[in-house]
Amino acid sequence: MEYSLEYFSAAVETAVKNLSFPSTAPRLFEPVRYTLESGGKRLRPVLLLSVFAALSRRDIAEAMNQALGIEIFHNFTLLHDDVMDKADLRRGRPTVHRRWNENAAIISGDAMLTYASMLMSKCPADRLAAVNECFNTTAMGVYEGQQLDMEFERRMNVTVDEYIEMIKLKTSVLLAGACSIGAIMAEATPEISEKLYDYGLALGIAFQLRDDWLDTFGDPAIFGKEIGGDILNRKKTWLLITALGESEGELAAILAENPTDHILIERVRGVYDRLNLNERCSALAESYSQKAIEAIESIEMDADARRFFIELAKNASTRSH
């Protein structure tokens, strides 16, 4: 068995291209195909398939329906997020509600959610209940995280602990759920499934903290978008929350002045630099990567598989894009 991002990603891409949707109302699924064809990291299905392969040593085709289900669900959340955020672009292309309209985005998103559930349920009867319970619990966590994220937009007193809990729900539980479903499909024990859930949870927090860092300190030529978007949107990231709490009112005053975009980014970056948030955020992300690695230390697996999961965890907190 090959353990590489390229191998698992290629398998997912092929399966996505071969998806067959009902033909009764083809326009319902045009936005669905459009959304899935836009690519992305495919990290969630990759995690599901790699966990299944590492624990079962069986053909990953046995868990492909669940991998597709988790990927379609993830893209459903992005589609509806774009409607709520009134976003114009997603992965360099017009969002569904811009290319079609909001009604099309909503109903096609609903279809994606149901289709994801249908695929998730295509598994052996002895694993059906556990898979569905994990999927539904995971989905509810994502919705809770999105609600908290929306509430944070109206608050200036968000704490770091609240932020970590929000990204754990909005981002991490889907990675954790993917790992756990992969373990369930491999007929692993509940204890092993729980350890892999913890791996995905820590991995997701590291990934999001690194995302926060990249938006402020990354190289735009490598990151793929302009730096400072989170600052301009006053997004409650770990960086902003920490600086608001430690800058003795300086950052709050800068935000209240509402300077031009370039000046705002420059001045906020100055506060971050004085508080050494660049290195502190990186260190925190790396600590979660280490927690992910520790979560799977006692799980028996091939050396190549272990190396794959360790490198994935390290990359979550050190990636440049």
Side-chain angles (χ1 to χ4, degrees), residues 93-127:
R93 303 198 304 172
T95 51
V96 167
H97 71 97
R98 289 298 183 204
R99 176 161 176 172
W100 283 273
N101 53 58
E102 285 193 4
N103 287 344
I106 292 169
I107 192 65
S108 292
D110 292 345
M112 291 177 79
L113 172 58
T114 302
Y115 200 74
S117 299
M118 292 166 64
L119 286 168
M120 197 62 65
S121 297
K122 290 184 176 182
C123 67
D126 62 338
R127 278 156 272 175

Side-chain angles (χ1 to χ4, degrees), residues 31-42 44 71 73-100 105 112 146 149 170-171 207-208 211 223-225 235:
V32 177
R33 286 200 177 279
Y34 176 80
T35 300
L36 293 173
E37 288 169 358
S38 64
K41 295 180 176 65
R42 309 293 195 201
R44 292 142 196 89
E71 178 67 2
F73 175 81
H74 171 59
N75 279 273
F76 143 72
T77 66
L78 300 181
L79 194 157
H80 277 191
D81 280 357
D82 288 340
V83 174
M84 289 186 282
D85 295 342
K86 302 187 186 304
D88 294 329
L89 295 174
R90 166 72 65 179
R91 297 167 182 160
R93 303 198 304 172
T95 51
V96 167
H97 71 97
R98 289 298 183 204
R99 176 161 176 172
W100 283 273
M112 291 177 79
Q146 176 66 15
D149 195 22
K170 185 176 179 181
T171 301
F207 190 92
Q208 186 59 54
D211 221 44
F223 189 36
K225 62 181 181 180
K235 188 173 177 63

Side-chain angles (χ1 to χ4, degrees), residues 146-163:
Q146 176 66 15
Q147 178 63 35
L148 291 176
D149 195 22
M150 292 189 297
E151 292 175 10
F152 288 177
E153 292 176 6
R154 302 188 297 273
R155 289 177 50 195
M156 292 298 288
N157 62 342
V158 179
T159 67
V160 167
D161 286 345
E162 287 178 314
Y163 175 69

Side-chain angles (χ1 to χ4, degrees), residues 32-63:
V32 177
R33 286 200 177 279
Y34 176 80
T35 300
L36 293 173
E37 288 169 358
S38 64
K41 295 180 176 65
R42 309 293 195 201
L43 180 57
R44 292 142 196 89
V46 164
L47 277 171
L48 194 154
L49 293 174
S50 58
V51 165
F52 174 81
L55 299 181
S56 72
R57 297 182 177 88
R58 301 200 301 266
D59 189 338
I60 59 173
E62 292 184 38

Side-chain angles (χ1 to χ4, degrees), residues 175-240:
L175 300 180
C179 290
S180 191
I181 291 170
I184 293 168
M185 289 299 295
E187 301 174 274
T189 65
E191 292 75 20
I192 289 177
S193 179
E194 184 176 348
K195 289 175 182 178
L196 282 156
Y197 186 92
D198 291 342
Y199 170 86
L201 212 58
L203 180 76
I205 296 174
F207 190 92
Q208 186 59 54
L209 287 168
R210 185 62 177 180
D211 221 44
D212 294 352
W213 186 94
L214 286 169
D215 193 88
T216 298
F217 299 107
D219 182 342
I222 300 174
F223 189 36
K225 62 181 181 180
E226 291 300 314
I227 299 302
D230 286 348
I231 293 173
L232 296 179
N233 293 319
R234 275 71 166 177
K235 188 173 177 63
K236 303 305 189 302
T237 64
W238 182 89
L239 295 164
L240 188 75

